[in-house]
Amino acid sequence: MRHILLFFMLCLTPATLAAQESRTPSHCIALANGIDGSRFIQLASYDVDVAPENVRIHYIAHASFLIRTSGGLNVVTDFTGFTGSAPLIPDVITMNHAHESHWTAFPDPAIPHALPGWGEFGRGIDHHLDLGEVLVRNVSTDIRSQFSGSETNGNSIFVFEVAGLCIGHLGHLHHEPNDEQYAAIGRLDVVMAPVDGGLTVDLPTMMRVIERLRSSIVIPMHWFGDISLNAFLGGMRANFQVVEVGGPSLDVSLDRLPSRPTIMVLRPEWLRATQN
């Protein structure tokens, strides 16, 4: 029996072995340590190497982020077809169809995995994309329809499990998740949250969502100038540390999550081939 097992192991192709590349498992539970906000600032080009067991998050624009792994996988959220002047072909893109600033009908066919956050009207969609180093999954939520009604399951909260972390992107969220949706999301170590206060959910609802998710790091997105951003920050300062990163990027690892829930303010910047 041992000889037969060894024979089958030797027959595995390199492609099969690559597909089975392991990742540090994530249970959506944050480990806490002290933090100096400056430790997260990334001033180098977005495409420099990422340290092992780290994830780089770069705020591109609006609700679009680049999530880059130490193995060189590139994921872009709320992909519109443009990320800047850098010649980047992401490995994975996610999209939501609230507005054209969150999706494109014509993603580059060279992108291996294009994941829409919606399916047939009212039916939603399910994604569970396992690339070895990163697992991408989604939780469907409702969205406003073009006729001021509601499209059931028309938005997706995407969750990226990588380097032991659970990283969530709330998309164009239009209501507080119900208990079943909260359970499906799990505990997010890092969450990108829309804080415009009107086009998505109102600020009191978003603050309640963030409090319940209990994320170690919150990254505001979908804000339209410092007035709306500061309104959100002002409402959160009592329970959250606020760190102005001073740039578009930060590196995150499981062993350096803050002991106190922290809002990391990133300033969006298009991807360029060379950055100072």
Side-chain angles (χ1 to χ4, degrees):
M1 179 63 70
R2 294 176 61 185
H3 293 293
I4 295 175
L5 179 61
L6 177 61
F7 171 77
F8 280 106
M9 291 178 65
L10 291 174
C11 287
L12 288 174
T13 65
T16 302
L17 293 173
Q20 295 176 344
E21 180 184 353
S22 62
R23 64 176 171 275
T24 302
S26 170
H27 303 288
C28 293
I29 298 175
L31 301 180
N33 282 310
I35 182 174
D36 170 6
S38 64
R39 295 172 65 191
F40 286 85
I41 297 176
Q42 177 54 242
L43 299 178
S45 175
Y46 78 93
D47 60 351
V48 299
D49 291 340
V50 180
E53 297 302 314
N54 278 254
V55 180
R56 178 159 303 146
I57 299 174
H58 180 107
Y59 190 12
I60 299 172
H62 200 55
S64 185
F65 291 84
L66 170 67
I67 301 172
R68 183 174 174 86
T69 72
S70 62
L73 287 175
N74 293 300
V75 179
V76 175
T77 67
D78 279 28
F79 181 75
T80 65
F82 181 74
T83 59
S85 61
L88 175 72
I89 301 294
D91 299 284
V92 182
I93 61 170
T94 65
M95 298 180 288
N96 275 299
H97 71 160
H99 307 287
E100 290 184 356
S101 52
H102 296 263
W103 72 292
T104 175
F106 306 102
D108 190 327
I111 297 171
H113 305 283
L115 308 182
W118 66 95
E120 294 183 29
F121 189 91
R123 299 186 62 180
I125 196 167
D126 291 315
H127 294 294
H128 193 277
L129 176 64
D130 193 340
L131 297 179
E133 190 181 14
V134 59
L135 169 68
V136 184
R137 58 184 176 87
N138 76 304
V139 177
S140 290
T141 64
D142 298 349
I143 197 171
R144 297 188 191 101
S145 71
Q146 59 179 326
F147 304 110
S148 300
S150 178
E151 179 183 347
T152 303
N153 296 325
N155 176 74
S156 278
I157 294 172
F158 281 96
V159 179
F160 311 91
E161 299 188 22
V162 54
L165 295 161
C166 272
I167 301 172
H169 186 284
L170 298 185
H172 211 277
L173 189 64
H174 286 160
H175 64 92
E176 181 172 3
N178 59 34
D179 289 342
E180 182 180 358
Q181 290 164 332
Y182 272 123
I185 294 166
R187 169 72 179 275
L188 299 178
D189 301 299
V190 181
V191 63
M192 294 90 150
V195 300
D196 56 274
L199 292 177
T200 56
V201 297
D202 58 83
L203 284 184
T205 300
M206 180 51 62
M207 293 174 187
R208 189 165 60 248
V209 171
I210 291 172
E211 291 281 357
R212 178 158 178 176
L213 288 174
R214 298 173 58 83
S215 301
S216 295
I217 296 175
V218 178
I219 302 175
M221 67 172 185
H222 207 263
W223 43 271
F224 302 93
D226 284 353
I227 293 177
S228 59
L229 175 62
N230 290 335
F232 167 74
L233 297 178
M236 300 296 291
R237 286 185 187 275
N239 297 316
F240 284 74
Q241 179 183 3
V242 176
V243 173
E244 278 277 0
V245 174
S249 304
L250 58 84
D251 283 5
V252 183
S253 65
L254 188 62
D255 63 350
R256 292 191 297 121
L257 292 173
S259 56
R260 180 185 179 191
T262 301
I263 298 171
M264 294 282 187
V265 179
L266 300 180
R267 298 291 170 169
E269 183 177 291
W270 298 110
L271 300 181
R272 295 178 291 166
T274 301
Q275 298 184 13
N276 296 322

